[in-house]
Amino acid sequence: MGTGYVGLVSGACFAQMGNTVTCVDIDDNKIARLQEGIVPIYEPGLETMVRQNHENGTLNFTTDTKEAIKNATIVFIAVGTPMGEDGSADLQYVLAVAKSIGQHMHDYMVVVDKSTVPVGTADKVKAVIQAELDARGVDIEFDVVSNPEFLKEGAAIKDFMKPDRVVVGADSEKAMNVMRELYVPFMKNHDRFIGMDIKSAEMTKYAANAMLATKISFMNEISNICERVGADINNVRNGIGSDSRIGYSFIYPGCGYGGSCFPKDVQALAKTAKDLEYTPRILDAVEAVNYDQKKVIPNKVIKRFGEDLSGQTFAIWGLAFKPETDDMREASSITIINELTSRGANVVAYDPKARHEAESFYLKDNLHVNYVNSKYDALNDADALILVTEWQEFRSPDFDEISKRLKNSILFDGRNQFDKARMKALGFEYVQIGVK
């Protein structure tokens, strides 16, 4: 139920293992396009998998909920849980699906919360389904379980097909066995199935994302201190990453995290804590540091060019919040571009996949942004280049070509991709994060 990022990836991967899957959505246009093999999101390997399984008859698409669940053993709720104005997760779509399930189910069913939802949501889903069954005057057994997703955008297919772990929270052995059987094909080499109670499973998802976001904000805070004391954050990262207790994952300094998970989940977990009269000081700090970090690059530009950027043009490499996706939700590029254009600057942007998202939604009202189809075309007569997203095609560019096209050989690197000494030798004015 829901053919967004999580629903479509999950459905395609379950079908790939031989299950018969029906993906349901209320968006007629999206379903029609999926039936034609047109995937609405960019995720490496997803389009091929969707087309193959749809052609094989194992993956189907419909807007008819009643027909979809008629022969279903398991129903996954994978609709969005957007962030409310107060930071909480909005459960209206999850509970609407639960109501629909209660209206149409006619045999034992395992209902799975796949969406990222606050602790206690399974109880609400169960209550809504039961209320609908009571209204129908029928007694049908069902179980609600929690099965949070841990997919990395850009590597979701790999993560699903070869998971680090499969977390399932259930309060009945019957439901747990159904879920274990479903995931057996994904764990042939090692049993990574972790069964637990429902509330712990719901909490595990939030705790995982909050921990990763904390590592990012911590490292960004250290990078800001490094600049002020004259240390090099790149050396510091190597020094601490070699400690096996810390490791190298998620300790790269940058211009802030974004995406559909970390910002929303950190705020939702903090809201849950505050609702229970606990002050989540670390979570609040993580969010505050990330908010400020997105302005680090604009502040460096302002320091170099002045507060009034009228008449200045900046080339932007990267719009998506991370490489290998077209997702721009909470992307640092949005803040960076809006901060620059609000001061009179013009921006020429390039991204391998996210241009349509920027043009049609996230930056559609910003008339000071132009888009090009080549990273080098973005540079023509620009006053500086700003690297925002670490796409592979940006890792080893032609620096001579960059210098030739730019008005000035100035590069603001929001992801610390290049060696400072080399850039200086090439004649660049090179500005990094966490390096004085």
Side-chain angles (χ1 to χ4, degrees):
M1 306 293 286
T3 58
Y5 186 84
V6 174
L8 192 55
V9 170
S10 300
C13 290
F14 282 133
Q16 184 73 12
M17 286 300 192
N19 297 286
T20 300
V21 179
T22 302
C23 288
V24 187
D25 204 285
I26 60 173
D27 187 333
D28 292 320
N29 182 56
K30 180 189 285 188
I31 291 299
R33 289 169 65 83
L34 284 167
Q35 289 171 339
E36 295 172 2
I38 302 172
V39 175
I41 57 174
Y42 174 72
E43 178 64 36
L46 179 60
E47 186 170 314
T48 300
M49 186 177 286
V50 167
R51 285 181 174 178
Q52 288 178 346
N53 285 284
H54 184 54
E55 290 171 3
N56 294 339
T58 55
L59 182 60
N60 303 293
F61 304 99
T62 186
T63 57
D64 189 339
T65 300
K66 181 178 181 180
E67 183 64 25
I69 70 172
K70 184 168 64 175
N71 297 312
T73 307
I74 309 170
V75 175
F76 284 84
I77 300 178
V79 292
T81 52
M83 185 168 58
E85 292 184 5
D86 60 357
S88 62
D90 186 344
L91 296 178
Q92 63 171 310
Y93 304 113
V94 170
L95 298 181
V97 170
K99 182 175 182 178
S100 183
I101 292 170
Q103 290 171 342
H104 300 301
M105 65 183 293
H106 59 83
D107 204 352
Y108 175 76
M109 180 176 290
V110 176
V111 178
V112 185
D113 281 335
K114 195 69 171 171
S115 303
T116 300
V117 292
V119 177
T121 299
D123 291 338
K124 294 179 180 179
V125 168
K126 187 173 184 177
V128 168
I129 294 174
Q130 189 60 57
E132 292 301 317
L133 294 178
D134 291 344
R136 290 168 55 193
V138 295
D139 183 15
I140 302 173
E141 182 187 4
F142 70 97
D143 285 302
V144 177
V145 309
S146 173
N147 174 215
E149 54 86 14
F150 299 98
L151 306 177
K152 297 186 294 291
E153 292 192 44
I157 298 296
K158 179 183 176 183
D159 288 346
F160 202 103
M161 299 300 285
K162 296 181 179 179
D164 291 328
R165 77 284 206 196
V166 173
V167 173
V168 174
D171 57 12
S172 87
E173 192 63 30
K174 183 176 182 179
M176 190 70 82
N177 288 336
V178 169
M179 296 300 291
R180 190 184 298 274
E181 181 181 353
L182 176 66
Y183 279 107
V184 163
F186 298 90
M187 298 178 288
K188 284 297 185 183
N189 295 327
H190 302 282
D191 185 4
R192 298 183 176 90
F193 190 95
I194 304 173
M196 58 183 71
D197 63 277
I198 294 174
K199 290 185 176 180
S200 294
E202 292 172 330
M203 187 65 179
T204 296
K205 170 64 175 182
Y206 280 101
N209 280 350
M211 172 62 80
L212 297 175
T214 299
K215 291 184 73 175
I216 295 171
S217 279
F218 173 82
M219 205 62 188
N220 282 332
E221 183 150 283
I222 294 297
S223 76
N224 294 328
I225 298 172
C226 282
E227 281 193 32
R228 287 157 177 79
V229 302
D232 186 326
I233 187 62
N234 301 303
N235 294 331
V236 174
R237 177 180 59 80
N238 286 329
I240 67 173
S242 58
D243 187 329
S244 61
R245 296 170 301 174
I246 298 173
Y248 289 101
S249 297
F250 289 86
I251 64 167
Y252 287 80
C255 45
Y257 61 75
S260 63
C261 295
F262 290 2
K264 176 171 68 73
D265 293 354
V266 168
Q267 291 183 46
L269 184 55
K271 177 64 167 57
T272 296
K274 291 170 184 175
D275 287 345
L276 297 171
E277 299 183 352
Y278 178 81
T279 302
R281 288 169 291 180
I282 291 177
L283 296 179
D284 285 345
V286 167
E287 178 63 21
V289 167
N290 192 61
Y291 178 83
D292 290 341
Q293 196 67 21
K294 292 181 179 181
K295 296 185 178 181
V296 167
I297 288 294
N299 289 339
K300 289 179 180 293
V301 172
I302 292 165
K303 183 178 179 180
R304 172 63 176 78
F305 289 94
E307 185 71 32
D308 184 2
L309 299 176
S310 299
Q312 307 284 343
T313 298
F314 297 96
I316 297 285
W317 279 7
L319 295 167
F321 87 93
K322 63 179 287 188
E324 298 300 328
T325 182
D326 60 355
D327 194 344
M328 282 187 64
R329 283 173 287 185
E330 304 288 336
S332 301
S333 62
I334 300 171
T335 299
I336 292 170
I337 290 171
N338 286 335
E339 287 289 320
L340 298 180
T341 57
S342 68
R343 291 169 171 81
N346 291 308
V347 165
V348 182
Y350 167 73
D351 188 283
K353 296 295 178 183
R355 173 176 175 171
H356 176 72
E357 293 294 307
E359 283 185 306
S360 62
F361 187 72
Y362 293 99
L363 294 167
K364 66 182 176 68
D365 296 324
N366 193 326
L367 303 180
H368 297 279
V369 185
N370 292 308
Y371 304 90
V372 292
N373 295 319
S374 160
K375 61 180 181 284
Y376 295 120
D377 286 345
L379 307 174
N380 296 333
D381 292 323
D383 292 277
L385 166 62
I386 302 172
L387 194 155
V388 180
T389 312
E390 61 275 35
W391 285 93
Q392 284 189 0
E393 68 174 273
F394 301 154
R395 291 185 182 179
S396 186
D398 185 335
F399 290 107
D400 289 336
E401 186 70 18
I402 294 174
S403 292
K404 185 172 68 176
R405 296 205 184 206
L406 284 175
K407 190 182 297 182
N408 309 295
S409 294
I410 304 174
L411 199 165
F412 295 90
D413 190 348
R415 299 299 175 183
N416 289 11
Q417 288 281 284
F418 308 118
D419 178 73
K420 186 176 182 180
R422 183 191 177 206
M423 297 303 293
K424 184 177 180 180
L426 290 170
F428 277 85
E429 182 179 334
Y430 182 56
V431 182
Q432 290 181 295
I433 287 177
V435 182
K436 191 171 182 179

